[in-house]
Amino acid sequence: MGKVIVVGGGAAGMMAAASAAARGRKVCLVEKNEKLGKKLYITGKGRCNVTNAGDGEEFFENVRSNSKFLYSAFYGWDNRDLMAFLEGAGCRLKTERGGRVFPVSDHASDVIKAFRKELDRLGVEILLNTEVSSLVFEDSLCRGVRLSDGRVLGAESCIVCTGGLSYPTTGSTGDGYRFAGAAGHRITACRPSLVPFGIRETWCGKLAGLSLKNVSLGLVCGGREVYRGFGEMLFTHSGVSGPLVLSASSYYREGKGAALLYVDLKPALDPEQLDRRLLRDFEENRNRQFQNALGGLFPAKLVPVMAALSGISPEKKVHEVTREERRAFGGLIKKLPLTVKGLGGYGEAVITQGGVDTREVNPSTMESRKVKGLYFAGEVLDLDALTGGFNLQIAWSTGHLAGCSV
């Protein structure tokens, strides 16, 4: 059997190398960084949300691009298989809210250690600090890679697992798109995704660091609601972030008209229930000033902002607030508007949307339809999903299938 070269030692690359070696292939894993899994170290705030414990239906509901392409990959190596693999390699796992799966230790390094242990056990040759400058082709076959120092490493097949453009400091600089383009592949338009929003309202900065849980968020582009979700969001110095916001970002399209985010601060209450709640709170605080009567409704940091946005004088006694003012305030609580200024860049993006056109890759093997012996896996492909561990599962599943197919 000929040699297999895996280009890129991230999630997809480590998985591809392990699955190819487990089937008796001689594997060389080439990584330009000084260590494997550099991007994994920073995922999930350093905790590494390795996958999601939901079923297959939930997985496909959360895939944003080309979900049907993933049927063979996911059902061939799903989240249960990945979890069993990591546990078997000594990385114990736990499942948290929303089905998110993390190492029990809360350390991403334990995931990489588990993979390194398996790669060493399987005899995979690992070349660190080694950059691939191009692929080597002979008669429409991929026959190896050329390194930046001019050396050529021959191979029977190559698996490109170079990631996208997100977090370029981890080495994701679009090399794979260049390699794929040289092989005649089309690259669909790339953009940052799962990324914070910049917001025009200056009061957002006053709330920097405030996390809101159990809120509903809607994204409206050009007058049409394109996303709605429930969960957690975070205010930053320049806008908003957090799981809800990151998911909303994958639905945002620049140039599709004005974009607005609407936050429902009390999604469990309909407008009438909320008005009854306000009546009750106002009755209990009837002789206090309006701004001092909102502590039971919002986190302390949010109170002055909501008081200011309400248009009600902060010094006004609660019993003087009119029915119309109270109703309008209820409307603000149910639909707090934020004007989108734009998205953060690749330096803040969790993933890249776009990549190697999946129509030019065989979904049953991950092999190029253009060049024999060339395979793709992970973020380099035009595949992406919402937050919650789904994007890493795409990397594990496609990496595993590519490794099994070479």
Side-chain angles (χ1 to χ4, degrees):
M1 282 189 178
K3 191 177 193 178
V4 176
I5 291 177
V6 179
V7 186
M14 291 191 295
M15 189 79 255
S19 58
R23 278 150 189 78
R25 304 307 301 267
K26 186 180 179 186
V27 181
C28 177
L29 176 55
V30 185
E31 169 55 54
K32 69 179 177 182
N33 285 311
E34 74 287 356
K35 60 187 175 186
L36 297 177
K38 197 162 183 180
K39 189 174 172 185
L40 280 174
Y41 278 100
I42 58 174
T43 60
K45 296 177 183 172
R47 297 172 62 219
C48 194
N49 180 190
V50 292
T51 189
N52 193 284
D55 59 17
E57 187 179 340
E58 189 175 345
F59 171 76
F60 286 106
E61 280 173 3
N62 280 274
V63 176
R64 287 280 293 127
S65 306
N66 304 309
S67 61
K68 287 180 181 174
F69 176 84
L70 284 165
Y71 285 175
S72 291
F74 180 77
Y75 288 117
W77 180 264
D78 65 12
N79 48 352
R80 304 289 163 198
D81 295 315
L82 180 275
M83 290 162 74
F85 173 88
L86 286 174
E87 293 265 6
C91 179
R92 292 177 56 233
L93 302 171
K94 61 180 176 180
T95 303
E96 297 187 358
R97 183 176 49 83
R100 290 168 163 81
V101 179
F102 294 91
V104 167
S105 65
D106 284 331
H107 293 308
S109 56
D110 284 353
V111 177
I112 293 126
K113 277 179 200 164
F115 267 97
R116 185 66 198 245
K117 177 181 166 186
E118 280 300 289
L119 294 171
D120 289 344
R121 184 182 70 80
L122 292 163
V124 172
E125 180 187 5
I126 298 170
L127 301 181
L128 299 175
N129 297 302
T130 305
E131 186 168 1
V132 172
S133 61
S134 63
L135 302 178
V136 176
F137 304 109
E138 286 177 16
D139 303 323
S140 296
L141 298 170
C142 188
R143 281 291 176 248
V145 300
R146 181 171 284 102
L147 304 181
S148 55
D149 63 7
R151 284 183 297 150
V152 172
L153 303 180
E156 186 181 81
S157 44
C158 295
I159 309 175
V160 174
C161 306
T162 48
L165 292 162
S166 57
Y167 294 131
T169 53
T170 64
S172 299
T173 50
D175 298 346
Y177 304 143
R178 188 163 47 81
F179 302 155
H185 279 273
R186 177 176 174 268
I187 310 301
T188 61
C190 295
R191 57 186 285 276
S193 191
L194 302 188
V195 66
F197 280 99
I199 298 297
R200 293 199 187 281
E201 283 77 9
T202 54
W203 54 261
C204 265
K206 296 175 185 172
L207 300 176
L210 175 65
S211 177
L212 297 178
K213 292 178 179 168
N214 303 319
V215 296
S216 174
L217 181 77
L219 170 64
V220 174
C221 290
R224 186 171 72 89
E225 185 171 278
V226 294
Y227 169 80
R228 175 158 295 279
F230 173 83
E232 186 176 341
M233 63 177 287
L234 172 74
F235 288 96
T236 69
H237 288 289
S238 57
V240 287
S241 186
L244 262 185
V245 173
L246 298 184
S247 289
S249 75
S250 74
Y251 292 81
Y252 172 73
R253 290 293 177 273
E254 211 163 2
K256 296 286 184 186
L260 291 161
L261 290 169
Y262 290 104
V263 186
D264 183 347
L265 296 166
K266 300 291 178 187
L269 304 176
D270 66 29
E272 289 307 314
Q273 290 170 325
L274 177 59
D275 192 53
R276 289 197 293 273
R277 163 76 189 272
L278 289 176
L279 271 171
R280 192 171 70 246
D281 279 24
F282 282 12
E283 184 56 36
E284 289 171 3
N285 295 279
R286 55 181 289 104
N287 293 316
R288 301 182 76 180
Q289 292 182 337
F290 174 68
Q291 66 178 356
N292 296 328
L294 306 179
L297 285 166
F298 315 113
K301 213 171 183 178
L302 186 56
V303 167
V305 169
M306 291 300 291
L309 293 175
S310 72
I312 301 168
S313 170
E315 289 82 27
K316 192 171 191 174
K317 288 288 173 56
V318 170
H319 69 264
E320 295 173 352
V321 174
T322 66
R323 179 178 182 275
E324 289 72 26
E325 286 174 326
R326 189 187 73 245
R327 289 271 184 173
F329 186 51
L332 179 70
I333 293 170
K334 293 293 288 178
K335 202 172 182 180
L336 177 64
L338 300 163
T339 311
V340 173
K341 191 161 59 175
L343 290 181
Y346 284 115
E348 298 177 276
V350 176
I351 55 153
T352 306
Q353 206 166 59
V356 176
D357 193 330
T358 54
R359 290 172 296 184
E360 299 175 351
V361 177
N362 184 338
S364 300
T365 61
M366 296 293 130
E367 187 175 21
S368 164
R369 295 189 192 272
K370 303 270 186 182
V371 176
K372 285 286 175 192
L374 174 60
Y375 297 76
F376 298 97
E379 197 183 339
V380 71
L381 288 160
D382 182 9
L383 299 166
D384 65 278
L386 304 183
T387 57
F390 304 105
N391 286 289
L392 269 180
Q393 186 58 50
I394 290 174
W396 307 131
S397 293
T398 56
H400 185 269
L401 180 54
C404 291
S405 303
V406 288

